Amino acid sequence: MAKKETKEVVKEVAVAAVVEVQETVEETVEETVEEPKKELSLKERDPGKFLEDFNWENYQEGIDPVDDGKLEEFEKLVAENFVDTLDDEVVDGVVVYLSDRDAIIDINAKSEGVVSLNEFRYNPDLKVGDTVEVLIDVREDSTGQLVLSHRKARTIKAWERVNAAHDEATIVNGFVKCRTKGGMIVDVFGIEAFLPGSQIDVKPIRDYDVYVGKTMEFKVVKINHEFKNVVVSHKALIEADIEEQKKEIIGQLEKGQVLEGVVKNITSYGVFVDLGGVDGLIHITDLSWSRINHPNEIVELDQKLNVVILDFDENKSRIQLGLKQLSAHPWDALGEELKVGDKVKGKVVVIADYGAFIEVAQGVEGLIHVSEMSWSTHLRSAQDFVSVGDEIEAVVLTMDRDDRKMSLGIKQLSEDPWTDITKRYPVGSKHKGVVRNFTNFGVFVELEEGIDGLIYISDLSWTKKVKHPSEFTAIAEELEVVVLELDVEGRKLSLGHKQTTDNPWDKYQKEFAVGTKHTAKITDLVDKGAIVDFNEDISAFIPTRHLEKEDGTSLNKGEEAELQIIEFNKEFKKVVASHMAIHKEEEAKIVKQAVKKQAAQAEEAKPTLGDANEALQALKDKLDGK
């Protein structure tokens, strides 16, 4: 609005104010005691005429001064009759004019204010005469215009209403605008509030989109003034009603009571059922007499079903429900004619390390222990024999109808291989078997399914000293064996591998007899000596002092030398050799020859008996003085 137009408005307001003041003064005068009349000025006699003739430009320029007393009186009257709002105070105003861009609002102030129409986009039906809330934004802009804000006023009022709703716990209406992470955005009094997903309803919400665009009732549950955040809840309104229902239901709960409920949530371990404000859990084992992998095989979300109360805690806050208990136990329907020794057919439902569970009838299972899957004493995993889903035949081994337990076996469907073991595996017979397992003391060899035998480590080789079976053979390797012993009652076989060949020590006893000499390389140096391999079967030990050479040094690894056997023990497969004995023997020969020669020479120099007699006679003569 132009400055000239503003002046016209001010003039009109001033005229109206002066007229109103004059009328007030006249009424006051009539009620008071008459005073002596005095001549009134033009401004007092005709305010309108005075204002029309008043030169505002001269007044602003200071050309036409106005009496200060009269001006103060005028300003006092205007202040008493016009509203003077604070900057942060919200007041009601009336729309007096609408342009293409602005709305002129009368707030009963010294001048009318302007509000941009953009702030009324939410209200396209705004018209002259409507009352709206506004806040003074700028008291006087560059053109002297009073600028108002409807948006700020709405925001302030909205926060006042939200705070009041929170403090007084009142119910407010909100418009669900859109989805966001973890919940929804709700418009409450023009403020965007957050509605968490968990606060929409008492039951889990699977599709948030169905709430978008709806107007719902809420409670303001939290306000963060620092960050200007508002949290609302629709669930809080529902919980109040549910709490009453919950108390009523909990008060009537009894074990064995059958109630109708709705499936609220499905997990891997069970199903949560809404009993009308109270939740109960059906564990997966209480859903069906048959074994299931997941509860969704039996129930689905929002399904209505009857359940029985199995148990609950003292506060009745944890309620254990059952579904399968509403039907008869399958064991009760199992025919009385089924007995131990009968053959049954069933499906493998579960496999464990120790065996497999077979469902022989709806809800009736039997266990086949891994030891009952094969006649073999070499235990393996149940997965080596059956798989989940296999249809198999088995024999009933035990049955306990009271405890509802049954054990089965499948090896009983074939003949026990130990029945005629003495005919097929007599002592001394040779066979071929497969290495199945190692122990520190031997090797288990399977001759056929159900027939295992043990080869002790000492019966693996005639010549090699085996510390562990893995040094001699490998798992799944085929070995030729001889039956050494047979224990039918104990179901044990003692086998030997070295017995399949002749004992080479019989021929080596002569070849490597004590005193025989052989040439070989030192294979390895060990503690207290060295090892030398004469062939694939015979290895000898050389003590440290016997490694000494003729020059006083010792033999080293890889050095070839002549050796002499100084010990041979067939029973303990022990051979001891010496290099020192070779050159010591030569020395002994030389010494022996020298001793023999010296003895011969002494023999030649020995005096005869005649010489002795002559010597004795000469001595006698000497003594006689001759």
Side-chain angles (χ1 to χ4, degrees):
M1 187 177 293
K3 187 173 183 180
K4 187 176 182 180
E5 294 176 353
T6 304
K7 291 181 179 179
E8 294 298 328
V9 173
V10 173
K11 287 182 181 180
E12 294 176 2
V13 174
V15 170
V18 171
V19 172
E20 184 177 353
V21 171
Q22 185 177 2
E23 291 175 354
T24 303
V25 171
E26 290 174 354
E27 292 174 358
T28 305
V29 170
E30 291 175 357
E31 295 176 358
T32 59
V33 180
E34 293 186 359
E35 296 181 355
K37 293 184 180 179
K38 59 181 180 179
E39 187 177 356
L40 299 177
S41 65
L42 176 62
K43 183 171 67 173
E44 294 173 334
R45 284 184 281 110
D46 189 357
K49 179 66 175 171
F50 168 77
L51 290 174
E52 288 179 3
D53 296 340
F54 187 79
N55 192 327
W56 288 92
E57 293 181 359
N58 290 342
Y59 168 72
Q60 288 180 343
E61 296 294 333
I63 300 174
D64 294 336
V66 179
D67 182 43
D68 292 340
K70 298 297 183 180
L71 186 60
E72 290 178 359
E73 181 182 356
F74 174 74
E75 291 177 349
K76 179 179 178 182
L77 291 173
V78 171
E80 291 175 352
N81 288 272
F82 288 92
V83 175
D84 188 10
T85 59
L86 300 175
D87 290 345
D88 58 350
E89 183 180 354
V90 177
V91 296
D92 290 335
V94 179
V95 179
V96 296
Y97 180 75
L98 292 174
S99 68
D100 294 338
R101 298 175 57 185
D102 302 316
I104 307 301
I105 310 295
D106 181 9
I107 61 171
N108 198 26
K110 297 177 182 179
S111 63
E112 295 168 344
V114 177
V115 178
S116 174
L117 285 180
N118 288 332
E119 298 189 20
F120 294 99
R121 283 183 296 179
Y122 74 96
N123 184 10
D125 299 327
L126 183 69
K127 60 185 181 299
V128 174
D130 287 352
T131 301
V132 294
E133 296 171 337
V134 292
L135 179 75
I136 295 178
D137 196 11
V138 180
R139 286 190 172 273
E140 186 176 351
D141 62 4
S142 59
T143 62
Q145 179 65 57
L146 175 65
V147 180
L148 306 176
S149 174
H150 175 61
R151 185 186 73 253
K152 292 182 180 179
R154 287 185 69 223
T155 302
I156 292 175
K157 281 294 184 181
W159 277 102
E160 291 177 356
R161 292 169 184 168
V162 167
N163 283 312
H166 178 259
D167 297 338
E168 300 170 7
T170 56
I171 299 174
V172 298
N173 289 327
F175 177 75
V176 182
K177 296 177 65 177
C178 61
R179 284 189 58 179
T180 187
K181 184 178 180 180
M184 317 286 289
I185 298 298
V186 180
D187 187 331
V188 179
F189 302 132
I191 295 176
E192 289 190 348
F194 177 59
L195 172 63
S198 60
Q199 296 298 316
I200 298 177
D201 205 336
V202 292
K203 59 183 180 181
I205 303 301
R206 293 181 289 277
D207 185 9
Y208 290 179
D209 292 334
V210 298
Y211 294 93
V212 177
K214 289 186 176 181
T215 299
M216 302 169 60
E217 291 184 336
F218 301 97
K219 281 188 70 175
V220 180
V221 294
K222 185 178 180 181
I223 298 178
N224 189 321
H225 294 281
E226 181 180 358
F227 297 101
K228 298 295 183 181
N229 291 336
V230 179
V231 180
V232 296
S233 171
H234 179 68
K235 177 182 176 181
L237 301 177
I238 304 174
E239 285 178 335
D241 297 334
I242 290 179
E243 192 63 29
E244 295 298 325
Q245 300 178 10
K246 186 175 181 179
K247 291 180 180 179
E248 183 178 352
I249 294 173
I250 288 178
Q252 300 175 354
L253 288 181
E254 294 180 2
K255 292 182 181 180
Q257 185 179 9
V258 178
L259 299 174
E260 184 183 60
V262 178
V263 176
K264 182 178 179 180
N265 192 18
I266 299 176
T267 67
S268 60
Y269 56 86
V271 177
F272 288 94
V273 179
D274 184 1
L275 301 176
V278 181
D279 290 346
L281 172 65
I282 308 176
H283 195 267
I284 186 172
T285 57
D286 291 316
L287 283 171
S288 173
W289 292 113
S290 300
R291 194 183 296 267
I292 59 174
N293 295 319
H294 197 278
N296 56 21
E297 299 177 15
I298 304 296
V299 297
E300 57 186 18
L301 287 172
D302 300 326
Q303 179 183 347
K304 291 184 178 181
L305 70 169
N306 291 329
V307 292
V308 60
I309 298 177
L310 302 180
D311 199 2
F312 45 76
D313 59 8
E314 293 181 359
N315 300 325
K316 297 183 180 179
S317 58
R318 293 184 180 181
I319 305 171
Q320 183 181 347
L321 306 175
L323 180 63
K324 70 179 184 181
Q325 288 79 3
L326 295 177
S327 59
H329 198 289
W331 270 87
D332 298 334
L334 195 64
E336 293 291 338
E337 66 278 1
L338 186 64
K339 60 186 183 299
V340 174
D342 289 349
K343 295 180 180 179
V344 294
K345 290 184 177 180
K347 182 173 70 174
V348 179
V349 290
V350 174
I351 294 180
D353 292 337
Y354 54 86
F357 288 92
I358 314 299
E359 188 176 51
V360 298
Q362 184 72 24
V364 178
E365 294 179 2
L367 171 64
I368 304 179
H369 194 271
V370 67
S371 61
E372 301 298 337
M373 293 183 174
S374 171
W375 289 109
S376 175
T377 56
H378 172 61
L379 295 182
R380 285 171 279 175
S381 172
Q383 295 178 346
D384 295 337
F385 299 96
V386 294
S387 300
V388 174
D390 287 352
E391 296 284 347
I392 63 172
E393 187 178 29
V395 176
V396 179
L397 303 181
T398 63
M399 179 183 292
D400 188 341
R401 292 181 180 270
D402 294 333
D403 290 340
R404 294 168 177 168
K405 291 182 179 180
M406 182 189 304
S407 63
L408 308 173
I410 56 178
K411 72 180 184 181
Q412 290 77 7
L413 297 174
S414 59
E415 186 180 2
D416 186 355
W418 281 81
T419 303
D420 57 349
I421 189 71
T422 54
K423 293 181 179 179
R424 294 185 294 121
Y425 298 98
V427 175
S429 58
K430 291 184 179 182
H431 307 276
K432 287 185 177 181
V434 178
V435 176
R436 291 299 183 192
N437 196 16
F438 289 150
T439 67
N440 291 330
F441 53 84
V443 181
F444 282 100
V445 177
E446 185 180 55
L447 301 179
E448 64 174 83
E449 184 72 25
I451 304 294
D452 292 342
L454 173 64
I455 304 176
Y456 282 98
I457 198 168
S458 59
D459 289 319
L460 287 172
S461 174
W462 289 111
T463 57
K464 293 183 180 179
K465 291 183 179 180
V466 182
K467 295 181 180 179
H468 191 272
S470 60
E471 300 174 2
F472 184 82
T473 184
I475 299 294
E477 185 175 336
E478 189 177 67
L479 283 182
E480 191 173 4
V481 295
V482 174
V483 178
L484 303 180
E485 295 180 12
L486 176 59
D487 182 0
V488 179
E489 186 176 349
R491 302 172 76 93
K492 293 180 180 179
L493 267 177
S494 180
L495 306 175
H497 173 67
K498 70 180 184 180
Q499 289 80 1
T500 58
T501 59
D502 294 334
N503 188 351
W505 287 85
D506 292 339
K507 64 177 182 178
Y508 293 144
Q509 190 173 9
K510 294 181 180 180
E511 183 179 348
F512 293 92
V514 175
T516 57
K517 298 176 181 178
H518 309 272
T519 301
K521 289 182 179 181
I522 304 300
T523 306
D524 196 9
L525 296 177
V526 296
D527 188 26
K528 298 183 181 180
I531 300 295
V532 60
D533 294 331
F534 292 118
N535 56 36
E536 294 180 355
D537 299 327
I538 299 296
S539 294
F541 174 70
I542 306 174
T544 301
R545 66 187 185 87
H546 288 274
L547 290 171
E548 184 181 346
K549 295 191 289 186
E550 191 173 0
D551 58 3
T553 60
S554 297
L555 294 173
N556 291 319
K557 181 178 179 180
E559 190 173 353
E560 189 176 71
E562 188 176 12
L563 303 170
Q564 181 176 322
I565 306 299
I566 57 176
E567 183 181 350
F568 183 92
N569 190 317
K570 173 184 174 182
E571 183 179 356
F572 295 100
K573 301 178 179 61
K574 181 179 179 183
V575 179
V576 181
S578 172
H579 174 66
M580 183 182 69
I582 298 294
H583 59 80
K584 290 295 182 183
E585 184 180 8
E586 293 297 330
E587 292 179 3
K589 286 182 179 179
I590 295 172
V591 171
K592 187 176 181 181
Q593 290 175 358
V595 170
K596 188 176 180 181
K597 183 177 181 180
Q598 186 177 4
Q601 292 175 350
E603 185 67 26
E604 291 178 1
K606 188 187 334 180
T608 63
L609 185 60
D611 295 335
N613 289 334
E614 290 180 359
L616 289 173
Q617 186 62 45
L619 181 61
K620 185 179 178 183
D621 291 342
K622 187 176 182 179
L623 290 174
D624 290 344
K626 292 181 179 181

